[in-house]
CSV table of all heavy atoms in Angstrom, one decimal:
chain,number,residue,atom,x,y,z
R,180,ARG,N,78.0,17.0,-7.0
R,180,ARG,CA,78.0,18.4,-7.4
R,180,ARG,C,77.7,19.2,-6.1
R,180,ARG,O,76.6,19.1,-5.5
R,180,ARG,CB,76.9,18.7,-8.4
R,180,ARG,CG,76.7,20.1,-8.8
R,180,ARG,CD,77.8,20.6,-9.7
R,180,ARG,NE,77.7,22.0,-10.1
R,180,ARG,CZ,78.5,22.6,-10.9
R,180,ARG,NH1,79.5,21.9,-11.5
R,180,ARG,NH2,78.4,23.9,-11.2
R,181,PRO,N,78.6,20.1,-5.7
R,181,PRO,CA,78.3,20.9,-4.5
R,181,PRO,C,77.1,21.8,-4.7
R,181,PRO,O,76.8,22.3,-5.8
R,181,PRO,CB,79.6,21.8,-4.4
R,181,PRO,CG,80.6,21.0,-5.1
R,181,PRO,CD,79.9,20.3,-6.3
R,182,ASP,N,76.3,21.9,-3.6
R,182,ASP,CA,75.1,22.7,-3.7
R,182,ASP,C,75.4,24.2,-3.6
R,182,ASP,O,74.7,25.0,-4.2
R,182,ASP,CB,74.1,22.3,-2.5
R,182,ASP,CG,73.6,20.9,-2.6
R,182,ASP,OD1,73.1,20.6,-3.7
R,182,ASP,OD2,73.7,20.2,-1.6
R,183,PHE,N,76.5,24.5,-2.8
R,183,PHE,CA,76.8,25.9,-2.6
R,183,PHE,C,78.4,26.0,-2.5
R,183,PHE,O,79.1,25.0,-2.4
R,183,PHE,CB,76.2,26.4,-1.2
R,183,PHE,CG,74.8,26.3,-1.2
R,183,PHE,CD1,74.2,25.3,-0.5
R,183,PHE,CD2,73.9,27.3,-1.7
R,183,PHE,CE1,72.8,25.2,-0.4
R,183,PHE,CE2,72.5,27.2,-1.6
R,183,PHE,CZ,72.0,26.1,-1.0
R,184,TYR,N,78.9,27.2,-2.5
R,184,TYR,CA,80.3,27.4,-2.3
R,184,TYR,C,80.5,28.6,-1.4
R,184,TYR,O,79.7,29.5,-1.3
R,184,TYR,CB,81.0,27.6,-3.6
R,184,TYR,CG,80.8,29.0,-4.3
R,184,TYR,CD1,81.5,30.1,-3.9
R,184,TYR,CD2,79.8,29.1,-5.2
R,184,TYR,CE1,81.2,31.3,-4.5
R,184,TYR,CE2,79.5,30.4,-5.8
R,184,TYR,CZ,80.2,31.5,-5.4
R,184,TYR,OH,80.0,32.7,-6.0
R,185,ILE,N,81.7,28.6,-0.7
R,185,ILE,CA,82.2,29.7,0.1
R,185,ILE,C,83.6,29.9,-0.3
R,185,ILE,O,84.4,29.0,0.0
R,185,ILE,CB,82.0,29.5,1.6
R,185,ILE,CG1,80.5,29.3,2.0
R,185,ILE,CG2,82.6,30.7,2.4
R,185,ILE,CD1,80.4,29.0,3.5
R,186,ALA,N,84.0,31.0,-0.9
R,186,ALA,CA,85.3,31.3,-1.3
R,186,ALA,C,85.9,32.3,-0.3
R,186,ALA,O,85.4,33.5,-0.2
R,186,ALA,CB,85.4,31.9,-2.7
R,187,ILE,N,86.9,31.9,0.5
R,187,ILE,CA,87.4,32.7,1.6
R,187,ILE,C,88.6,33.5,1.1
R,187,ILE,O,89.5,32.9,0.4
R,187,ILE,CB,87.9,31.8,2.8
R,187,ILE,CG1,86.7,30.9,3.2
R,187,ILE,CG2,88.4,32.6,3.9
R,187,ILE,CD1,87.1,29.8,4.2
R,188,LYS,N,88.7,34.7,1.4
R,188,LYS,CA,89.7,35.6,0.9
R,188,LYS,C,91.0,35.4,1.6
R,188,LYS,O,91.0,34.9,2.8
R,188,LYS,CB,89.3,37.1,1.0
R,188,LYS,CG,88.0,37.4,0.2
R,188,LYS,CD,87.6,38.9,0.4
R,188,LYS,CE,86.3,39.2,-0.4
R,188,LYS,NZ,85.8,40.6,-0.2
R,189,PRO,N,92.2,35.7,1.0
R,189,PRO,CA,93.5,35.4,1.6
R,189,PRO,C,93.7,36.1,2.9
R,189,PRO,O,94.4,35.5,3.8
R,189,PRO,CB,94.5,35.9,0.5
R,189,PRO,CG,93.7,35.8,-0.7
R,189,PRO,CD,92.3,36.2,-0.4
R,190,ASP,N,93.1,37.3,3.1
R,190,ASP,CA,93.4,38.0,4.3
R,190,ASP,C,92.4,37.7,5.5
R,190,ASP,O,92.4,38.3,6.5
R,190,ASP,CB,93.3,39.5,4.0
R,190,ASP,CG,94.5,40.0,3.3
R,190,ASP,OD1,95.6,39.4,3.5
R,190,ASP,OD2,94.4,41.0,2.5
R,191,ALA,N,91.5,36.7,5.3
R,191,ALA,CA,90.4,36.5,6.2
R,191,ALA,C,90.9,36.2,7.6
R,191,ALA,O,90.5,36.9,8.6
R,191,ALA,CB,89.6,35.3,5.7
R,192,VAL,N,91.9,35.3,7.8
R,192,VAL,CA,92.3,35.0,9.2
R,192,VAL,C,93.0,36.1,9.8
R,192,VAL,O,92.6,36.5,11.0
R,192,VAL,CB,93.3,33.8,9.1
R,192,VAL,CG1,93.9,33.5,10.5
R,192,VAL,CG2,92.6,32.5,8.7
R,193,GLY,N,93.9,36.8,9.1
R,193,GLY,CA,94.5,38.0,9.7
R,193,GLY,C,93.6,39.1,10.1
R,193,GLY,O,93.6,39.6,11.2
R,194,ASN,N,92.6,39.4,9.2
R,194,ASN,CA,91.7,40.4,9.5
R,194,ASN,C,90.8,40.1,10.7
R,194,ASN,O,90.5,41.0,11.5
R,194,ASN,CB,90.8,40.7,8.3
R,194,ASN,CG,91.5,41.4,7.2
R,194,ASN,OD1,92.6,42.0,7.4
R,194,ASN,ND2,91.0,41.3,6.0
R,195,LEU,N,90.3,38.8,10.8
R,195,LEU,CA,89.5,38.4,11.9
R,195,LEU,C,90.2,38.4,13.2
R,195,LEU,O,89.7,38.9,14.3
R,195,LEU,CB,88.9,37.1,11.6
R,195,LEU,CG,87.7,37.0,10.6
R,195,LEU,CD1,87.4,35.6,10.2
R,195,LEU,CD2,86.5,37.7,11.2
R,196,VAL,N,91.5,38.0,13.2
R,196,VAL,CA,92.2,38.0,14.5
R,196,VAL,C,92.4,39.4,15.0
R,196,VAL,O,92.3,39.7,16.2
R,196,VAL,CB,93.6,37.3,14.3
R,196,VAL,CG1,94.5,37.6,15.4
R,196,VAL,CG2,93.4,35.8,14.1
R,197,GLU,N,92.7,40.3,14.1
R,197,GLU,CA,92.9,41.7,14.5
R,197,GLU,C,91.5,42.3,15.0
R,197,GLU,O,91.5,43.1,15.9
R,197,GLU,CB,93.4,42.6,13.4
R,197,GLU,CG,94.9,42.2,13.1
R,197,GLU,CD,95.6,43.2,12.2
R,197,GLU,OE1,94.9,44.0,11.4
R,197,GLU,OE2,96.8,43.3,12.2
R,198,GLU,N,90.4,41.9,14.3
R,198,GLU,CA,89.1,42.4,14.8
R,198,GLU,C,88.8,41.9,16.1
R,198,GLU,O,88.1,42.6,17.0
R,198,GLU,CB,88.0,42.0,13.7
R,198,GLU,CG,86.7,42.6,14.0
R,198,GLU,CD,86.7,44.1,14.0
R,198,GLU,OE1,87.1,44.7,13.0
R,198,GLU,OE2,86.3,44.7,15.1
R,199,LEU,N,89.2,40.7,16.4
R,199,LEU,CA,89.0,40.0,17.7
R,199,LEU,C,89.9,40.5,18.8
R,199,LEU,O,89.8,40.2,19.9
R,199,LEU,CB,89.1,38.5,17.6
R,199,LEU,CG,88.0,37.8,16.8
R,199,LEU,CD1,88.4,36.4,16.5
R,199,LEU,CD2,86.7,37.8,17.6
R,200,ARG,N,90.9,41.4,18.4
R,200,ARG,CA,91.9,41.9,19.3
R,200,ARG,C,92.8,40.9,19.9
R,200,ARG,O,93.2,41.0,21.1
R,200,ARG,CB,91.2,42.8,20.3
R,200,ARG,CG,90.4,44.0,19.8
R,200,ARG,CD,89.7,44.7,20.8
R,200,ARG,NE,89.0,45.9,20.2
R,200,ARG,CZ,88.1,46.7,20.9
R,200,ARG,NH1,87.9,46.5,22.2
R,200,ARG,NH2,87.5,47.6,20.3
R,201,GLY,N,93.0,39.8,19.1
R,201,GLY,CA,93.9,38.8,19.6
R,201,GLY,C,93.2,37.5,19.9
R,201,GLY,O,92.1,37.4,20.3
R,202,VAL,N,94.0,36.4,19.8
R,202,VAL,CA,93.5,35.0,20.2
R,202,VAL,C,94.7,34.3,20.9
R,202,VAL,O,95.8,34.7,20.8
R,202,VAL,CB,93.1,34.2,19.0
R,202,VAL,CG1,91.9,34.9,18.3
R,202,VAL,CG2,94.3,34.0,18.0
R,203,GLU,N,94.3,33.3,21.6
R,203,GLU,CA,95.3,32.5,22.3
R,203,GLU,C,95.4,31.1,21.7
R,203,GLU,O,94.4,30.4,21.6
R,203,GLU,CB,94.9,32.3,23.8
R,203,GLU,CG,95.9,31.6,24.7
R,203,GLU,CD,95.6,31.6,26.1
R,203,GLU,OE1,95.8,32.6,26.8
R,203,GLU,OE2,95.0,30.6,26.6
R,204,VAL,N,96.5,30.7,21.2
R,204,VAL,CA,96.7,29.4,20.5
R,204,VAL,C,97.8,28.7,21.2
R,204,VAL,O,98.5,29.1,22.1
R,204,VAL,CB,97.1,29.7,19.0
R,204,VAL,CG1,95.9,30.3,18.3
R,204,VAL,CG2,98.3,30.5,18.9
R,205,GLU,N,98.0,27.4,20.7
R,205,GLU,CA,99.0,26.5,21.2
R,205,GLU,C,100.0,26.1,20.2
R,205,GLU,O,99.7,25.9,19.0
R,205,GLU,CB,98.4,25.3,21.9
R,205,GLU,CG,97.5,25.6,23.0
R,205,GLU,CD,98.2,26.0,24.3
R,205,GLU,OE1,99.4,25.6,24.4
R,205,GLU,OE2,97.6,26.6,25.1
R,206,THR,N,101.3,25.9,20.5
R,206,THR,CA,102.3,25.3,19.7
R,206,THR,C,102.9,24.2,20.4
R,206,THR,O,103.1,24.2,21.7
R,206,THR,CB,103.4,26.3,19.3
R,206,THR,OG1,104.1,26.8,20.4
R,206,THR,CG2,102.8,27.5,18.5
R,207,ILE,N,103.3,23.1,19.7
R,207,ILE,CA,104.0,22.0,20.4
R,207,ILE,C,105.5,22.1,20.3
R,207,ILE,O,106.2,21.3,20.8
R,207,ILE,CB,103.4,20.7,19.8
R,207,ILE,CG1,103.7,20.5,18.4
R,207,ILE,CG2,102.0,20.5,20.1
R,207,ILE,CD1,103.4,19.1,17.8
R,208,ASP,N,105.9,23.1,19.5
R,208,ASP,CA,107.4,23.3,19.4
R,208,ASP,C,107.6,24.8,18.9
R,208,ASP,O,106.7,25.3,18.2
R,208,ASP,CB,108.0,22.3,18.4
R,208,ASP,CG,109.4,22.0,18.8
R,208,ASP,OD1,110.0,22.7,19.6
R,208,ASP,OD2,109.9,21.0,18.2
R,209,ALA,N,108.7,25.3,19.2
R,209,ALA,CA,109.0,26.7,18.6
R,209,ALA,C,109.3,26.6,17.2
R,209,ALA,O,109.9,25.6,16.7
R,209,ALA,CB,110.2,27.2,19.4
R,210,PHE,N,108.9,27.6,16.4
R,210,PHE,CA,109.3,27.6,15.0
R,210,PHE,C,109.4,29.1,14.5
R,210,PHE,O,108.9,30.0,15.1
R,210,PHE,CB,108.2,26.8,14.2
R,210,PHE,CG,106.9,27.4,14.1
R,210,PHE,CD1,106.5,28.4,13.2
R,210,PHE,CD2,105.9,27.1,15.1
R,210,PHE,CE1,105.2,28.9,13.1
R,210,PHE,CE2,104.6,27.6,15.0
R,210,PHE,CZ,104.3,28.5,14.1
R,211,GLU,N,110.0,29.2,13.3
R,211,GLU,CA,110.3,30.5,12.7
R,211,GLU,C,109.9,30.4,11.2
R,211,GLU,O,110.2,29.4,10.6
R,211,GLU,CB,111.8,30.9,12.8
R,211,GLU,CG,112.1,32.3,12.4
R,211,GLU,CD,113.5,32.6,12.7
R,211,GLU,OE1,114.2,31.9,13.4
R,211,GLU,OE2,114.0,33.7,12.2
R,212,TYR,N,109.2,31.4,10.7
R,212,TYR,CA,108.7,31.4,9.4
R,212,TYR,C,108.9,32.7,8.7
R,212,TYR,O,108.7,33.8,9.2
R,212,TYR,CB,107.2,31.1,9.4
R,212,TYR,CG,106.5,31.1,8.0
R,212,TYR,CD1,106.6,30.1,7.2
R,212,TYR,CD2,105.8,32.3,7.6
R,212,TYR,CE1,106.0,30.1,5.9
R,212,TYR,CE2,105.2,32.3,6.3
R,212,TYR,CZ,105.3,31.2,5.5
R,212,TYR,OH,104.7,31.2,4.3
R,213,HIS,N,109.5,32.6,7.4
R,213,HIS,CA,109.7,33.8,6.6
R,213,HIS,C,109.2,33.7,5.2
R,213,HIS,O,109.4,32.6,4.6
R,213,HIS,CB,111.2,34.1,6.6
R,213,HIS,CG,111.9,34.4,7.9
R,213,HIS,ND1,111.8,35.7,8.5
R,213,HIS,CD2,112.5,33.6,8.8
R,213,HIS,CE1,112.4,35.7,9.6
R,213,HIS,NE2,112.9,34.4,9.8
R,214,ASP,N,108.5,34.6,4.8
R,214,ASP,CA,108.0,34.7,3.4
R,214,ASP,C,108.1,36.1,2.9
R,214,ASP,O,107.3,37.0,3.2
R,214,ASP,CB,106.5,34.2,3.3
R,214,ASP,CG,106.0,34.1,1.9
R,214,ASP,OD1,106.6,34.7,1.0
R,214,ASP,OD2,104.9,33.5,1.7
R,215,ASN,N,109.2,36.4,2.2
R,215,ASN,CA,109.5,37.7,1.7
R,215,ASN,C,108.4,38.3,0.8
R,215,ASN,O,108.1,39.4,0.8
R,215,ASN,CB,110.9,37.8,1.1
R,215,ASN,CG,112.0,37.9,2.1
R,215,ASN,OD1,111.8,38.3,3.2
R,215,ASN,ND2,113.1,37.3,1.7
R,216,LYS,N,107.9,37.4,-0.1
R,216,LYS,CA,106.9,37.8,-1.0
R,216,LYS,C,105.7,38.3,-0.3
R,216,LYS,O,105.1,39.3,-0.7
R,216,LYS,CB,106.6,36.7,-2.0
R,216,LYS,CG,107.6,36.4,-3.0
R,216,LYS,CD,107.2,35.3,-4.0
R,216,LYS,CE,108.2,35.1,-5.1
R,216,LYS,NZ,107.7,34.1,-6.1
R,217,ALA,N,105.3,37.5,0.7
R,217,ALA,CA,104.1,37.9,1.4
R,217,ALA,C,104.4,38.9,2.5
R,217,ALA,O,103.4,39.4,3.2
R,217,ALA,CB,103.4,36.7,2.1
R,218,GLY,N,105.6,39.2,2.8
R,218,GLY,CA,106.0,40.1,3.8
R,218,GLY,C,105.8,39.6,5.2
R,218,GLY,O,105.5,40.3,6.2
R,219,LEU,N,105.9,38.2,5.4
R,219,LEU,CA,105.6,37.6,6.6
R,219,LEU,C,106.9,37.2,7.3
R,219,LEU,O,107.8,36.5,6.7
R,219,LEU,CB,104.7,36.3,6.5
R,219,LEU,CG,103.3,36.6,6.0
R,219,LEU,CD1,102.6,35.2,5.7
R,219,LEU,CD2,102.5,37.3,7.1
R,220,HIS,N,107.1,37.6,8.6
R,220,HIS,CA,108.3,37.2,9.3
R,220,HIS,C,107.8,36.9,10.8
R,220,HIS,O,107.4,37.8,11.5
R,220,HIS,CB,109.3,38.3,9.4
R,220,HIS,CG,109.8,38.7,8.0
R,220,HIS,ND1,110.6,37.9,7.2
R,220,HIS,CD2,109.5,39.7,7.2
R,220,HIS,CE1,110.8,38.5,6.1
R,220,HIS,NE2,110.1,39.6,6.0
R,221,VAL,N,107.7,35.6,11.1
R,221,VAL,CA,107.1,35.1,12.3
R,221,VAL,C,108.0,34.2,13.1
R,221,VAL,O,108.7,33.4,12.5
R,221,VAL,CB,105.8,34.3,12.0
R,221,VAL,CG1,105.1,33.9,13.3
R,221,VAL,CG2,104.8,35.2,11.2
Side-chain angles (χ1 to χ4, degrees):
R180 177 75 184 184
D182 296 310
F183 304 98
Y184 72 85
I185 298 176
I187 304 171
K188 298 178 181 178
D190 287 330
V192 171
N194 288 342
L195 283 169
V196 166
E197 290 193 340
E198 186 60 56
L199 290 167
R200 299 176 180 174
V202 296
E203 187 175 276
V204 296
E205 298 287 336
T206 61
I207 61 172
D208 212 345
F210 66 89
E211 188 172 349
Y212 177 77
H213 295 278
D214 184 340
N215 281 332
K216 288 185 177 181
L219 292 173
H220 302 285
V221 180

